[in-house]
């Protein structure tokens, strides 16, 4: 049973436009959420996180939104750049329990 | 570069064999985590060690075992290998294991079982 779901396996966006990556979760105990980016032949790299006490966290071009009632979070990248092309993983945890990852969304930013 | 190192980068072996994957955490990190990523799957948590002791266990098979040594490096042992064990194995480390502790991932070891 997948507790963290990324329903879009892939997404294509034009350079300069907004990329929106979505993630749904089922475990209401999750209280911390993260996004990781992964390039081929490399390990995942931490991008941005959000605690369940917030509904938005921003870091430069990256903003994560959390909707607890819908058990949904999204990552917005504005403006998208070709270097953002990668696989993005959503992850969640409850307290000090291990991270639970989604299957990832492959983002392609087209110049 | 995350500061987490994993060796070897690639490993090709036969069914029934045993292999050892090695991970060195970032300097100062006490927690080490192991993950498996099979084709088209997300990262599946296997096991966590904190300062030499097992802290959490995920869906790790009985044929797999791990340990963390006094110098904090960790090894993941996979035995009686099957074709389905072919995957990317990632190690990650963090300072402690607290809620907001960021995990930093190594580049992974690609295991191919023939």
């Amino acid at each position: 049973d997948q507790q963290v779901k990324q329903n879009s396996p892939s997404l294509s966006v034009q350079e300069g436009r907004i990329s929106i990556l979505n993630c749904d979760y089922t475990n209401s105990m999750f209280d911390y959420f993260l996004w990781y980016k992964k390039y081929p032949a490399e390990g995942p790299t931490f991008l941005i996180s959000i605690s369940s006490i917030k509904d938005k966290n921003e870091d430069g071009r990256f903003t994560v939104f959390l909707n607890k009632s819908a058990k949904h979070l999204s990552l917005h990248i504005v403006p998208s750049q070709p270097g953002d092309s990668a696989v993005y993983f959503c992850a969640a945890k409850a307290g000090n329990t291990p991270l639970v990852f989604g299957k990832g969304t492959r983002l392609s930013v087209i110049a | 570069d995350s500061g987490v190192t994993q060796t070897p980068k690639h490993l090709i072996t036969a069914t029934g064999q045993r292999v050892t994957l090695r991970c060195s955490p970032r300097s100062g990190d006490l927690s080490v985590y192991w993950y498996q990523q099979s084709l088209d799957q997300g990262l599946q948590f296997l096991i966590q060690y904190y300062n030499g002791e097992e802290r959490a266990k995920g869906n790790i098979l009985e044929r797999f075992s791990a340990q963390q040594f006094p110098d904090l490096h960790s090894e993941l042992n996979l035995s009686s290998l099957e074709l389905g064990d072919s995957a990317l194995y990632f190690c990650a480390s963090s300072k402690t294991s607290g809620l907001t502790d960021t995990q930093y991932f190594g580049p992974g070891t690609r295991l191919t079982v023939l």
Side-chain angles (χ1 to χ4, degrees), chain A residues 47-67:
Chain A
L47 198 54
I48 192 169
S49 63
I50 187 167
S51 163
S52 60
I53 61 172
K54 294 186 171 184
D55 53 20
K56 177 182 172 181
N57 189 24
E58 202 169 340
D59 183 2
R61 297 185 298 113
F62 302 91
T63 304
V64 56
F65 295 92
L66 175 62
N67 182 334

Side-chain angles (χ1 to χ4, degrees), chain A residues 33-97:
Chain A
F33 304 87
L34 307 90
W35 285 93
Y36 278 83
K37 179 168 76 171
K38 186 183 178 305
Y39 293 119
E42 293 182 14
T45 304
F46 169 71
L47 198 54
I48 192 169
S49 63
I50 187 167
S51 163
S52 60
I53 61 172
K54 294 186 171 184
D55 53 20
K56 177 182 172 181
N57 189 24
E58 202 169 340
D59 183 2
R61 297 185 298 113
F62 302 91
T63 304
V64 56
F65 295 92
L66 175 62
N67 182 334
K68 287 188 291 293
S69 60
K71 294 194 180 70
H72 176 84
L73 67 156
S74 61
L75 174 69
H76 292 212
I77 307 173
V78 183
S80 301
Q81 300 173 352
D84 296 329
S85 297
V87 177
Y88 289 78
F89 290 98
C90 168
K93 63 189 311 197
N96 291 341
T97 60

Side-chain angles (χ1 to χ4, degrees), chain A residues 31-32 36 38 41-44 46 89 93 95-96 98-99 101-103, chain B residues 35 37 40-43 45 56 90 97-100 102-103 105-107:
Chain A
D31 51 8
Y32 196 66
Y36 278 83
K38 186 183 178 305
E42 293 182 14
F46 169 71
F89 290 98
K93 63 189 311 197
N96 291 341
L99 283 175
F101 282 84
K103 290 188 179 183
Chain B
Y35 292 87
Q37 186 184 19
D40 293 332
Q41 296 292 316
L43 285 83
F45 169 72
F90 289 103
S97 62
L99 173 66
T100 60
T102 299
Q103 291 183 26
F105 283 79

Side-chain angles (χ1 to χ4, degrees), chain B residues 69-90:
Chain B
F69 294 86
D71 67 352
L72 300 177
H73 92 271
S74 177
E75 292 180 358
L76 179 67
N77 300 297
L78 316 176
S79 61
S80 303
L81 285 167
E82 301 175 0
L83 295 177
D85 297 328
S86 295
L88 267 169
Y89 291 85
F90 289 103

Side-chain angles (χ1 to χ4, degrees), chain B residues 101-113:
Chain B
D101 233 23
T102 299
Q103 291 183 26
Y104 294 88
F105 283 79
T109 293
R110 181 174 291 281
L111 174 66
T112 303
V113 182

